[in-house]
Amino acid sequence: MSVSSAETTRRRGSPFVAILVYTLRSCFPRKRWLAVLVPCAGALLFGLLAHAVDEQVNQRAFATVAADGIFGLVLPIAALVIGDSVLGAEVRAGTFHFTWLSPTPTWQIVLGRWIGGLLVALVTIAPSAALAALIAGSPESAAPAYGAAAVGSAAYVAVFIAIASLTRRTAVWALAFVFLVERLLGSALTGIAQLSPTWESRAIFLGYLDHVPSSIVRDGIPERGTAVVRLAIVTIVVLVVAIWRMGHMRMSGASD
């Protein structure tokens, strides 16, 4: 066997690679892909809606509809489906036993599931946000939209993995996090908004635009690179929580 063949075999035998491959192959059946693509299609509709906004600059019109429509609605819903697919659905079904009982370290399980979910988000959520900008007639907004959606998706998938490791009712608590904590409390309290994937990804997007209506800019929220760093910290923290919790999980059957 050649050196390259031996190296390939070794990589294929890596538990982390196996977790990542399993995540991409088994956690996203057709129905799950459809559930992810439906809100992404909604992002394209928001791009069309920008043409109905009475704005002279296309960038301003797209910023108006994207701030609440794409980053406040499409991003969290699509990321919720992805986050639930990579862990929550298996925990509820009882099939996560096989992965959890394997000799693979918990940090590799969590990281593999997160990277798998992130890869799906990078080919679904982020491109739909960029394509919506092109549909809206604002091509200069495509790159900021893609980048902000990618960073927001990374944080969201990590948050939903952490929720899945804490409770079996992943979808219920994830929706409560998005609509009660982020939308309700985050709208009223800047301190919560500063840790919110919705508000921070929105600030990243708006921060890189030249023409933004002042009515949708929120004071006290970091923008651009500072917001990226903030979401990176949030992502790391919730992944650490998920790793710790997974090491203390008590597995039960699907009917429990």
Side-chain angles (χ1 to χ4, degrees):
M1 181 181 293
S2 64
V3 176
S4 59
S5 299
E7 180 67 15
T8 301
T9 302
R10 185 187 67 81
R11 289 182 179 179
R12 288 180 178 176
S14 169
F16 176 78
V17 174
I19 292 292
L20 179 58
V21 172
Y22 173 83
T23 301
L24 295 174
R25 288 183 176 178
S26 301
C27 294
F28 293 94
R30 290 184 179 180
K31 290 183 178 179
R32 285 283 172 168
W33 277 107
L34 180 61
V36 175
L37 293 176
V38 167
C40 291
L44 306 185
L45 294 179
F46 281 114
L48 288 173
L49 183 62
H51 292 284
V53 178
D54 186 16
E55 297 281 358
Q56 294 182 351
V57 182
N58 288 338
Q59 188 180 86
R60 290 172 58 90
F62 179 65
T64 300
V65 299
D68 290 325
I70 296 179
F71 292 97
L73 187 62
V74 172
L75 172 61
I77 291 178
L80 191 157
V81 176
I82 294 174
D84 184 66
S85 298
V86 298
L87 185 59
E90 282 199 340
V91 172
R92 290 194 304 275
T95 56
F96 186 66
H97 288 75
F98 303 105
T99 301
W100 188 71
L101 292 174
S102 69
T104 307
T106 54
W107 71 267
Q108 291 189 16
I109 296 175
V110 172
L111 193 60
R113 296 298 178 102
W114 174 70
I115 292 178
L118 177 58
L119 291 176
V120 173
L122 292 179
V123 298
T124 54
I125 302 175
S128 66
L131 186 55
L134 298 179
I135 294 174
S138 179
E140 67 278 6
S141 303
Y146 185 97
V151 175
S153 297
Y156 262 130
V157 173
V159 168
F160 296 141
I161 287 178
I163 292 176
S165 69
L166 294 170
T167 177
R168 291 172 62 88
R169 299 180 180 274
T170 308
V172 175
W173 285 104
L175 287 172
F177 171 79
V178 171
F179 292 103
L180 296 181
V181 177
E182 287 193 302
R183 297 301 296 272
L184 185 60
L185 296 179
S187 297
L189 303 174
T190 302
I192 292 179
Q194 290 177 346
L195 301 175
S196 162
T198 286
W199 288 101
E200 290 292 353
S201 60
R202 168 177 164 161
I204 295 172
F205 169 66
L206 297 177
Y208 284 103
L209 300 185
D210 296 324
H211 305 282
V212 180
S214 59
S215 59
I216 63 174
V217 177
R218 182 170 180 178
D219 295 331
I221 304 296
E223 297 181 348
R224 298 193 174 191
T226 305
V228 174
V229 172
R230 181 70 60 90
L231 282 186
I233 294 174
V234 170
T235 301
I236 293 172
V237 170
V238 294
L239 286 177
V240 169
V241 170
I243 293 170
W244 172 84
R245 175 56 183 166
M246 190 169 291
H248 297 79
M249 288 179 68
R250 298 179 61 183
M251 303 303 296
S252 57
S255 60
D256 294 339

